[in-house]
Amino acid sequence: MNRGFYTIMAAQFFSSLADNALLFVAISLLVAMDAPASLTPLLKLSFVLFYVLLAAFVGAFADALPKGRVMFIANIIKVFGCALMFFTIHPLLSYAVVGFGAAVYSPAKYGILTELLPPEKLVPANGWIEGLTVMSIILGTVLGGTLVSERGTAFLLSFDTFASLGLTTGAEAAMAVVVGIYLLAALFNLRIPDTGARYEHQERNPAKLIADFANCSATLWRDKLGQISLAVTTLFWGAGATLQFIVLKWAERSLGMPLDKATNLIGVVAIGVALGAAMAARMIPLRKSLTVIPMGIVMGLVVTSMVFVHSVTVAYPLLALIGFLSGFFVVPMNALLQHRGHVLMSAGHSIAVQNFNENLSILVMLAAYAVMITLNLDLDIIIVIFGLSVAGIMLLIQRRHTLNQREHDSLGLIGEGKH
């Protein structure tokens, strides 16, 4: 990997670190407002909303400019969204603006990989980017939990710097720290090299952009490899976002842990994902990527065992295992999807299609979870429904791939160059 790749990784790490820390700062603001429990998962829903609404447009934007510049603009938008919380704007609205920046950021951060690297390096590259993203989740979760804790608040307010800036509450000081991390990510964005990749003039007519996006989406779903990898990653991100909130509620109900302690469990899942991603990057070449599908079925079944766990000692290894299985199967599938998208269309457009489907899954699954919480459904029932649904859908995806292979050996398409 060249130096430009590592600069991209650094920018992605700090931007994601701030995203994850800010989530828990926003949750603490909702708690301080005595907001209903159903609003907590809606925070994540508001964050991913623009991934769906802007999917037809952000791909073209990512391909219209050098991707390092696009990532810089996106981080400035995130800074603005975070800053809105200083002016008592509702956390749902502020976090939605940060999500707007993230939606702009994503096609550029993934699309630049296909411009910078050959197909055979995409699995290791995805191992790097997923590993660092997961590390940022771990540290961002711990950082967010620490910032909103009583000890963290007291520590921050002990610095005269925050008082001189007019920041008098723990929440304001925590948000200032998050803004600083976003600005650091923006500085790395400015150091990302121009890959030299240029695409034909990007359409600006909204109707034509939507039609073009619909065509790109149909192309990926029709492709025998694209449809399988897209289905897996779509399910993974929807399930992952929902599991994050299930674990927080489970920690409170079954383990008796407060929010600042429960965030450590999210970090344990993330450590497992990082280990699984690293192992997949070393063991699974692009041509063998589809062999990891059974891992998704096992993961769904393992999740259901959470209902029997009431001990922190058992909870840690169980969540690490869930994370490991997740990381091991998603990295090869993500690399395969990027490869097919790059072959069939431009990098930015293919990532936009991926983002649309994955974040639509997050919206649907989080909305379903919020409804179940509103209906006061028992948490154990929610966990069983969630785990069995993931395992069942992964089984259907595996059967679909088997049927595809009987009709035509689609695996021969892996590794081919762009038409």
Side-chain angles (χ1 to χ4, degrees), residues 101-155:
V104 174
Y105 194 95
S106 188
K109 79 174 182 184
Y110 282 110
I112 197 171
L113 295 181
T114 56
E115 296 176 356
L116 199 66
L117 303 171
E120 62 271 14
K121 285 195 172 185
L122 284 179
V123 171
N126 269 273
W128 266 94
I129 200 167
E130 296 300 336
L132 282 176
T133 298
V134 166
M135 189 181 297
S136 71
I137 293 172
I138 297 168
L139 296 178
T141 298
V142 173
L143 176 62
T146 302
L147 290 175
V148 301
S149 67
E150 291 184 6
R151 184 178 297 179
T153 296
F155 176 75

Side-chain angles (χ1 to χ4, degrees), residues 104-336:
V104 174
Y105 194 95
S106 188
K109 79 174 182 184
Y110 282 110
I112 197 171
L113 295 181
T114 56
E115 296 176 356
L116 199 66
L117 303 171
E120 62 271 14
K121 285 195 172 185
L122 284 179
V123 171
N126 269 273
W128 266 94
I129 200 167
E130 296 300 336
L132 282 176
T133 298
V134 166
M135 189 181 297
S136 71
I137 293 172
I138 297 168
L139 296 178
T141 298
V142 173
L143 176 62
T146 302
L147 290 175
V148 301
S149 67
E150 291 184 6
R151 184 178 297 179
T153 296
F155 176 75
L156 291 176
L157 294 180
S158 67
F159 290 94
D160 294 334
T161 305
F162 291 108
S164 64
L165 293 173
L167 307 179
T168 57
T169 67
E172 290 176 339
M175 287 184 286
V177 172
V178 174
V179 168
I181 298 172
Y182 278 132
L183 291 175
L184 179 59
L187 291 177
F188 276 105
N189 292 148
L190 294 175
R191 302 295 298 174
I192 293 175
D194 185 350
T195 63
R198 294 292 182 270
Y199 302 97
E200 60 186 38
H201 176 69
Q202 299 300 311
E203 183 60 61
R204 294 184 179 182
N205 184 304
K208 291 183 178 180
L209 280 171
I210 292 172
D212 181 51
F213 174 79
N215 180 60
C216 290
S217 184
T219 298
L220 263 182
W221 278 114
R222 283 195 301 263
D223 184 72
K224 298 301 183 184
L225 293 177
Q227 64 182 224
I228 301 301
S229 54
L230 185 54
V232 171
T233 58
T234 295
L235 176 64
F236 170 83
W237 287 108
T242 309
L243 182 63
Q244 189 175 41
F245 291 98
I246 289 177
V247 168
L248 290 176
K249 182 63 70 174
W250 176 68
E252 177 191 345
R253 295 280 182 86
S254 298
L255 305 178
M257 301 175 71
L259 177 62
D260 59 319
K261 300 294 183 183
T263 54
N264 293 335
L265 295 181
I266 304 296
V268 170
V269 177
I271 290 172
V273 174
L275 293 174
M279 186 169 290
R282 291 182 62 87
M283 295 179 58
I284 309 296
L286 191 62
R287 289 186 175 275
K288 298 289 185 181
S289 53
L290 289 161
T291 61
V292 301
I293 292 178
M295 288 287 191
I297 301 173
V298 175
M299 186 208 75
L301 296 176
V302 172
V303 165
T304 61
S305 67
M306 289 170 60
V307 300
F308 303 109
V309 176
H310 302 280
S311 165
V312 175
T313 305
V314 179
Y316 279 100
L318 176 65
L319 293 177
L321 175 61
I322 292 171
F324 177 85
L325 293 170
S326 302
F328 195 87
F329 83 78
V330 78
V331 164
M333 300 305 291
N334 205 42
L336 177 60

Side-chain angles (χ1 to χ4, degrees), residues 4-5 21 33-34 49 90 128 152 173 191 196 205 250 270 277 292 354 390:
F5 173 78
M33 295 165 55
D34 291 324
L49 183 62
H90 197 284
W128 266 94
R191 302 295 298 174
N205 184 304
W250 176 68
V292 301
Q354 182 179 352
V390 170

